[in-house]
Amino acid sequence: MSNRATNLLVPIVSVILGLLVGAVIMLASGYNPLEGYAALWNGIFGDMYTIGETIRQITPYLLAGLAVAFAFRSGLFNIGVEGQLIVGWFAAAYVGVAVELPKIIHLPLAIIAAAVAGALWGFVPGLLKAKFHVHEVIVTIMMNYIALHVTNALIRTVSDGGDRTESIFASASLRSEFLENLTEFSRLHLGIVIALLMVGVMWFILEKTTLGFELKAVGFNQNASQYAGMNVNKNIILAMVISGAFAGLGGAMEALGTFEYVSSKGGFTGIGFDGIAVALLGMNTPLGVIFGATLFGSLKYGALNMPNAAGIPIEIVEIVIAVIIFFVASGYIIRLLLLRASAKKKEAK
């Protein structure tokens, strides 16, 4: 079997196996899998509204996946994407309500504020890693909790004790009348354009710049990079800063597009943590992150229709979606099995 055929078969077989096992779980639980998957399909592609909402759901996953993938490619494990996204969300919303400016100034300013906030939240673990060799996983996990509670306190401060800020000014909004009309007034906004642009930015940095070469080199081998004259500490900090900026932009998509405000949170959004799975599904490549985010966002949004349309409890739905993602993530094992089956067929001949 050729490599091209194997590359084509692996994702197809992965999805089919995931769907089959998910069907078995629904049958064992006393629910009709055909009705369940029909509800999932309609929840993703049922009409223009659901398509618009699905794309809207994919947008923050794209940026969270890019944030994790960029750090991975630089040899770092950024578990703090969730916290960086939360501070970016707050920064964008605050700029959106604090001042009213012409849209050509206000919207870019709010987006930049989110990127800077996320970058600063990534700078701290990057600095501690570079200067004191403190493991970034420990620091970023703690920074997630700090981000959650600090932003909650700031929200109560700026809203005079309330649980949410006022809605942002229209001049800071990512809403698009064209996209709303196209998708039957879904919440699809211009953030998807920004997210796709960031995919190109990540690719350009890593593949076409000296900085990207150094970041990847440091990720592969810090000692060899140091011997070659590269500034390892600077590259570690830069990797975390850029990763944090991507995550902060993910927060801006929620603040300026989906919700147009920020509210205090009782727990994490989950987008940043799901970004880890998105990056791993996409093999930490910019193009791969698009496919990983599309799968994750589509399944997450489409699954919301399964309890209503098919009567399947949300707990079973979550298990089925997790099983599908599990099999897609197990592509290496499936590839190995396909190659072994092909080799045995050749031996039999």
Side-chain angles (χ1 to χ4, degrees), residues 22 25 29 313-325:
I25 291 170
S29 304
I314 190 64
E315 293 81 6
I316 302 298
V317 172
E318 292 288 345
I319 292 170
V320 170
I321 298 304
V323 164
I324 295 171
I325 293 170

Side-chain angles (χ1 to χ4, degrees), residues 28 41 63 71-72 77 80-81 88 91 133-134 154 165 178 187 274 282 313:
W41 176 268
L63 289 158
F72 269 139
F77 199 0
V81 169
H133 305 288
V134 181
L154 289 172
T165 63
F178 169 75
R187 291 177 293 172
D274 288 342

Side-chain angles (χ1 to χ4, degrees), residues 7 13 43 55 57 72 79 96 99 101 112 163 166 180 191 193 197 199 210 214 238 286 300 305 321 326 334 344 346:
N7 291 336
V13 172
I55 297 172
Q57 183 78 39
F72 269 139
I79 305 294
V99 292
L101 299 166
I112 291 169
D163 289 331
E166 295 178 5
E180 288 180 354
V193 178
L197 283 174
V199 171
T210 304
E214 290 191 4
L238 272 175
K300 284 281 185 177
N305 192 47
I321 298 304
F326 169 79
I334 294 166
K344 286 182 179 178
K346 285 182 180 178

Side-chain angles (χ1 to χ4, degrees), residues 5 19 39 52-53 65-66 83 95 107 111 121 158 170 216 224 226 236 238 245 268 281 303 317 345 347:
L19 292 172
E53 283 293 316
L66 290 177
V95 172
L107 179 55
I111 292 171
W121 221 252
V158 300
K216 289 186 291 183
Q226 186 84 46
I236 288 173
L238 272 175
F268 295 120
L281 284 172
V317 172
K345 191 177 289 185
E347 289 175 3

Side-chain angles (χ1 to χ4, degrees), residues 87-135:
V87 296
W89 189 334
F90 173 80
Y94 178 74
V95 172
V97 300
V99 292
E100 187 172 11
L101 299 166
K103 192 176 186 75
I104 196 170
I105 298 173
H106 202 182
L107 179 55
L109 184 64
I111 292 171
I112 291 169
V116 170
L120 287 173
W121 221 252
F123 172 79
V124 175
L127 181 67
L128 292 175
K129 170 78 171 181
K131 296 296 184 182
F132 304 105
H133 305 288
V134 181
H135 204 290

Side-chain angles (χ1 to χ4, degrees), residues 143-165:
M143 292 289 285
N144 285 335
Y145 289 96
I146 295 170
L148 177 65
H149 296 297
V150 167
T151 53
N152 280 348
L154 289 172
I155 290 163
R156 285 192 289 272
T157 300
V158 300
S159 62
D160 296 324
D163 289 331
R164 53 158 286 185
T165 63

Side-chain angles (χ1 to χ4, degrees), residues 92 95-96 99-114 168-176 189-191 194 249 252-253 255-257 260:
V95 172
V99 292
E100 187 172 11
L101 299 166
K103 192 176 186 75
I104 196 170
I105 298 173
H106 202 182
L107 179 55
L109 184 64
I111 292 171
I112 291 169
I168 62 171
F169 289 110
S171 55
S173 176
L174 282 167
R175 280 194 178 182
S176 164
H189 51 78
L190 293 171
I194 295 172
L249 287 173
M253 301 303 101
L256 307 177
E260 298 193 323

